[in-house]
């Protein structure tokens, strides 16, 4: 069936909560409409949690105060005591408010307890620029979060992956950050009715090619695919790798592709992820490289609010085309 990313995530929430009464959901405005005369169950800003409170009740679908420190901490405590919380942080920018809970508590619980305490918690959050939301609502922090030992980080680019990664993440004993691009929620794709699980750490070849490898996640997967369509007209065959999870990272898949193409370009909307991929390929697959790897990432400045400046800040198709042509020698 065809579902958007928001619809697939909503369906996954319903399936998870139906299957296990230990699954709870919490976050700001996840019920939506309460006290506003608009009824409940609207599902928050992006509609992902629509209908959950009507079906499972306010004891399992918890609208929280505007305090990420408080409700992320509540999620950690509930996971430690046997529940399976899905915690929604509306924008990943707001993780700055509760970073102590995430990297000093959630990420370290299993280690500091000697493995006696598990942390089956998923933090769902959004990332991404492109809609003029400004510097505090548009960041892509997956590169930063992936550097924290104990955290797992996933960045789906399509509906099936979004739902499958959410279901897999909740079964993991470590905290998983599921980062959903807010510009992709309406993107539709084919999804199996049972929403099959997507293993963490298992990437996917989106497009096969022999001239160059592009590694991209989230919205940049679609930018890379558009570029590949353009370059194919000039006889350049691009291979696109979507890692899906960036921690753990499917280096075997990336290295296999680079061994075939000899060229690597990383296209990303964050800081840190491209550098991580290039560093590891240089260390583990240097002999396969026929040219120095390149990256196309944003300017290292806060994200501008003005639409024209924001578009200049974001990686563009033109930049990716230029980088590919430089690498393949055209």
């Amino acid at each position: 069936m065809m579902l958007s990313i928001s619809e697939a995530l909503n369906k996954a929430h319903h399936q998870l909560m139906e299957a296990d009464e230990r699954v709870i959901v919490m976050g700001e405005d996840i019920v939506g409409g309460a006290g506003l005369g608009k009824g409940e169950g609207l599902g928050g800003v992006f509609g992902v949690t629509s209908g959950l409170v009507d079906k499972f009740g306010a004891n399992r679908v918890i609208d929280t105060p505007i305090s990420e420190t408080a409700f992320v901490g509540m999620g950690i405590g509930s996971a430690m005591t046997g529940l399976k919380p899905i915690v929604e942080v509306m924008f990943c920018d707001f993780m700055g408010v509760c970073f102590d809970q995430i990297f000093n508590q959630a990420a370290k619980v299993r280690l500091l307890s000697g493995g006696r305490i598990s942390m089956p918690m998923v933090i769902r959050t959004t990332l991404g620029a492109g809609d003029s939301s400004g510097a505090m609502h548009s960041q892509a922090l997956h590169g930063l979060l992936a550097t924290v030992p104990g955290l797992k980080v996933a960045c789906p680019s399509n509906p099936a992956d979004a739902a499958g990664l959410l279901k897999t993440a909740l079964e993991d004993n470590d905290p998983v950050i599921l980062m959903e691009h807010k510009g992709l929620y309406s993107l539709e794709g084919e999804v199996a009715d049972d929403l099959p699980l997507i293993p963490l750490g298992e990437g996917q070849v989106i497009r096969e090619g022999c001239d160059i490898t592009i590694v991209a996640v989230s919205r940049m997967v679609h930018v890379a695919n558009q570029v590949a369509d353009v370059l194919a007209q000039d006889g350049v065959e691009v291979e696109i790798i979507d890692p899906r999870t960036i921690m753990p990272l499917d280096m075997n898949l990336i290295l296999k592709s680079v061994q075939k193409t000899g060229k690597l370009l990383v296209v990303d909307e964050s800081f840190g992820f491209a550098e991580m991929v290039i560093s590891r390929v240089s260390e583990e697959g240097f002999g396969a490289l026929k040219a120095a790897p390149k990256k196309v990432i944003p300017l290292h400045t806060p994200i501008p609010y003005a639409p024209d400046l924001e578009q200049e800040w974001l990686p563009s198709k033109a930049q990716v085309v230029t980088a590919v042509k430089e690498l393949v020698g055209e």
Side-chain angles (χ1 to χ4, degrees):
M1 59 182 164
M2 293 294 292
L3 294 176
S4 68
I5 286 182
S6 61
E7 290 169 341
L9 285 166
N10 180 259
K11 187 176 178 67
H13 278 78
H14 279 271
Q15 288 187 1
L16 287 165
M17 298 188 78
E18 287 169 352
D20 191 340
E21 63 181 11
R22 294 175 297 171
V23 179
I24 60 174
V25 182
M26 64 183 75
E28 300 164 346
D29 293 333
I30 63 166
V31 169
L36 300 177
K38 298 181 181 179
E40 295 188 347
L42 299 180
V45 176
F46 302 106
V48 172
T49 52
S50 174
L52 292 181
V53 72
D54 298 326
K55 190 168 185 179
F56 301 104
N59 288 330
R60 295 180 64 193
V61 184
I62 305 165
D63 243 346
T64 67
I66 304 175
S67 175
E68 287 79 12
T69 299
F71 66 76
V72 170
M74 183 168 70
I76 294 168
S78 64
M80 291 175 69
T81 54
L83 297 177
K84 291 188 172 186
I86 301 173
V87 181
E88 181 180 300
V89 176
M90 195 179 295
F91 299 93
C92 72
D93 314 68
F94 301 165
M95 287 188 172
V97 180
C98 55
F99 205 36
D100 180 59
Q101 275 69 23
I102 294 171
F103 89 96
N104 266 336
Q105 309 301 326
K108 295 178 172 64
V109 163
R110 287 189 69 202
L111 174 68
L112 296 182
S113 68
R116 290 173 295 173
I117 300 175
S118 295
M119 184 54 52
M121 177 177 72
V122 179
I123 298 178
R124 289 186 43 253
T125 190
T126 60
L127 64 88
D131 60 353
S132 296
S133 292
M136 294 185 180
H137 294 75
S138 304
Q139 294 177 88
L141 299 180
H142 48 283
L144 171 65
L145 292 165
T147 67
V148 178
L151 293 183
K152 296 179 180 178
V153 183
C155 299
S157 65
N158 61 71
D161 286 356
L165 286 167
L166 173 60
K167 294 177 76 172
T168 301
L170 202 59
E171 296 301 314
D172 203 274
N173 287 324
D174 288 313
V176 179
I177 315 293
L178 185 66
M179 308 195 70
E180 306 151 11
H181 200 293
K182 62 182 189 287
L184 293 181
Y185 275 125
S186 61
L187 177 75
E188 292 189 340
E190 190 67 33
V191 182
D193 188 58
D194 59 343
L195 306 180
L197 277 66
I198 303 294
L200 299 178
E202 186 174 301
Q204 185 178 28
V205 178
I206 298 296
R207 183 180 186 130
E208 293 190 356
C210 59
D211 293 320
I212 185 171
T213 299
I214 293 182
V215 176
V217 297
S218 193
R219 192 178 73 88
M220 290 297 131
V221 172
H222 304 283
V223 171
N225 210 29
Q226 292 167 3
V227 166
D229 286 339
V230 172
L231 291 170
Q233 299 174 16
D234 297 326
V236 178
E237 297 298 324
V238 176
E239 181 146 295
I240 300 174
I241 304 295
D242 178 1
R244 301 195 285 201
T245 55
I246 67 167
M247 184 57 65
L249 180 63
D250 192 347
M251 279 305 301
N252 289 334
L253 184 66
I254 294 171
L255 288 168
K256 183 179 178 180
S257 178
V258 172
Q259 287 166 0
K260 177 171 67 171
T261 67
K263 312 282 180 67
L264 172 66
L265 176 66
V266 185
V267 183
D268 193 44
E269 202 174 324
S270 76
F271 304 105
F273 174 64
E275 291 81 357
M276 177 175 66
V277 173
I278 290 171
S279 173
R280 291 196 61 183
V281 169
S282 299
E283 290 176 356
E284 301 171 36
F286 183 76
L289 291 169
K290 299 175 183 176
K294 289 182 177 291
K295 63 187 177 186
V296 177
I297 61 174
L299 296 171
H300 200 264
T301 67
I303 304 165
Y305 171 75
D308 54 344
L309 293 178
E310 184 182 42
Q311 290 306 310
E312 286 294 317
W313 181 89
L314 278 166
S316 68
K317 288 186 286 185
Q319 289 175 315
V320 179
V321 168
T322 299
V324 169
K325 289 186 173 181
E326 288 175 353
L327 275 169
V328 299
E330 294 193 14

